Amino acid sequence: MLGGAGLVFGAAAPAQAAETSYKTECIPPSISGLDPVQGTTIAAITAPATAKVGDTVNVTWKFIQGASKNPDVLDLGENTVQPTGTLKTAGAQTGELAMSGPRENPAIPKNSPMKLSTMTGKLKLTKPGEVKLTPDKYNINVSKPMSTDTKCSPTEAVNPGTVIKVLESAGGTGGSGGAIGGIPGTSTGGSSSSGGSSTGSSGSSSSGSSSSGGSSGGDSGQSDFTGKEVEVPYSCKTPIGDKSATSPVQINAKKDGGNFGLTVKFKKSVMDSPADIPKDSVKPSMEVKLGGSDKGTVHVEGPTNKEAIKSGDPIEIPDLTGTYKPGADGKSTLSPGVLTVKALGTTTTCTPNKAPVSLELDTSKQEGGASGGGGTGSAGGGGSTATGGAGGGLAETGASNDAALRALGLAAGTVILLGGAVFTFLPKARRAVSRR
């Protein structure tokens, strides 16, 4: 990045610094669901006291105080925060000066003041007279766990930070030119706004299920069994609080000897990506709940995302697969349990408010099968194990017990006011994603 030592031509006088403070509103990433923050920005603006027309001068913006803190959610690592902003020029020369700081910061603990680097910009002086420099809006980009922005703007008139007295050059007035210096090659990072970002207040809709599921698998020679599509209302625990989401889910089975290969399908997306998501970043899994003759859960999982996901695009949960080894003779039911998604080091879980049956199977007890297990998340003592979901380098996420089933995690990263991102739960009316 350009910047550093001040570049002053001609008869520019030594730099002067002045502080100004102003009330500021900071808008967190829309996907966070957090309210705007009201605070005070204190900025020290440095520029030469005098210079000549035609000179290009270096201007700096030092943050004495940012308008908001790092929320009590996640510690920010070193060199993950980058500020960019705008200075307004007024008086003899009007316009806007783009400012940018390096991505340099110490570690910033939760619930502590933000540490923002000093921003710089270069201003070409085009007219004689006094040029007033006033700090205006600024943006704070956090690069990890994923790129998001917090946008801060004044909520009151701001006093100039400093004034440059511009003198006539020896050869007369300087030539025309833009008043905006700017620093090339800088970036504010990924946009945090997504078309579908919402707090997801909907969700507790009726399950739309009946007491029985789809096809029943007996000894008729049938090997493929299609479950019923059921609406599942989830109550979700996220890093930013409780959320709700409803999704159609279907459980299908393919018989293999006395066992069944399971495939769980989510028919609609219930979330949009809050930012660009790299490939192999999101890993889903579910604990399918057994009922009827059998008891326990069956662990199924899906692969990580094979392609990068663009900001605003729907996040679709891939097919989840695993093997069900029956632990009882009779008719056993399978219901969507709780699905976990691990993403970028975070986990969000959602538990169904109701467990509608999607599939009923005629089962024969298998050695080491599920029935009577201790609810270990692997269908009772490891009788049913996952076979699907090729790895993406992320940790496994099984449930600890039936009472605390790991669930439909829709987190792409831990939300913080000035960085990170969480997948947004969309109200039912906005889930206009076509079925596969």
Side-chain angles (χ1 to χ4, degrees), residues 30-31 191-198 272-275 311-313 424 426 430:
S30 58
I31 44 80
S191 173
S192 65
S193 298
S194 65
S197 59
S198 109
D272 283 349
S273 173
S311 177
D313 285 354
T424 303
L426 303 181
R430 300 202 54 185

Side-chain angles (χ1 to χ4, degrees), residues 5 35 49 69 84 128 159 163 173 183 211 222 297 329 360 388 401 411:
D35 294 330
K69 293 183 177 181
T84 55
N159 293 323
V163 177
T173 59
I183 299 180
S211 59
Q222 182 180 358
T297 59
D329 296 327
E360 184 179 82
N401 53 60

Side-chain angles (χ1 to χ4, degrees), residues 121-387:
K122 296 186 183 299
L123 175 64
K124 183 174 182 180
L125 302 173
T126 60
K127 294 181 180 179
E130 290 189 341
V131 177
K132 300 176 181 180
L133 303 178
T134 303
D136 193 42
K137 59 187 178 181
Y138 57 94
N139 182 82
I140 303 172
N141 174 260
V142 175
S143 61
K144 294 181 180 179
M146 103 177 11
S147 181
T148 54
D149 297 307
T150 292
K151 301 182 183 298
C152 301
S153 302
T155 58
E156 64 177 351
V158 184
N159 293 323
T162 193
V163 177
I164 304 173
K165 186 175 182 180
V166 183
L167 307 175
E168 292 277 7
S169 64
T173 59
S176 61
I180 302 176
I183 299 180
T186 61
S187 171
T188 59
S191 173
S192 65
S193 298
S194 65
S197 59
S198 109
T199 57
S201 58
S202 72
S204 297
S205 63
S206 61
S207 66
S209 67
S210 64
S211 59
S212 61
S215 303
S216 177
D219 296 325
S220 61
Q222 182 180 358
S223 60
D224 294 305
F225 307 96
T226 301
K228 178 181 178 180
E229 181 181 307
V230 292
E231 292 282 333
V232 184
Y234 289 98
S235 293
C236 307
K237 299 292 184 182
T238 81
I240 60 168
D242 294 346
K243 300 290 181 181
S244 297
T246 299
S247 179
V249 183
Q250 184 178 37
I251 302 174
N252 299 328
K254 184 178 182 66
K255 192 171 185 180
D256 181 12
N259 299 331
F260 296 86
L262 301 183
T263 299
V264 179
K265 293 179 176 288
F266 280 76
K267 293 305 186 77
K268 290 183 181 179
S269 171
V270 292
M271 53 195 168
D272 283 349
S273 173
D276 290 344
I277 308 291
K279 66 178 182 179
D280 295 328
S281 299
V282 182
K283 176 74 171 179
S285 64
M286 176 190 272
E287 309 307 319
V288 175
K289 187 174 180 61
L290 300 175
S293 300
D294 215 345
K295 298 293 184 291
T297 59
V298 181
H299 180 76
V300 294
E301 62 182 41
T304 56
N305 54 308
K306 294 181 180 179
E307 303 293 337
I309 305 169
K310 294 183 179 180
S311 177
D313 285 354
I315 303 295
E316 295 192 9
I317 298 174
D319 289 352
L320 312 178
T321 58
T323 299
Y324 167 40
K325 181 181 290 187
D329 296 327
K331 291 187 180 294
S332 300
T333 61
L334 291 83
S335 302
V338 199
L339 188 146
T340 303
V341 173
K342 280 207 167 186
L344 301 175
T346 64
T347 303
T348 297
T349 60
C350 302
T351 303
N353 296 330
K354 296 181 181 180
V357 173
S358 175
L359 182 64
E360 184 179 82
L361 298 171
D362 289 336
T363 58
S364 298
K365 183 177 180 179
Q366 303 296 305
E367 183 68 26
S371 187
T376 63
S378 60
S384 296
T385 57
T387 59

Side-chain angles (χ1 to χ4, degrees), residues 49-72:
T50 61
K52 289 184 177 181
V53 171
D55 288 349
T56 297
V57 297
N58 196 68
V59 181
T60 66
W61 174 340
K62 180 179 180 180
F63 284 94
I64 306 302
Q65 175 182 296
S68 61
K69 293 183 177 181
N70 178 23
D72 189 19

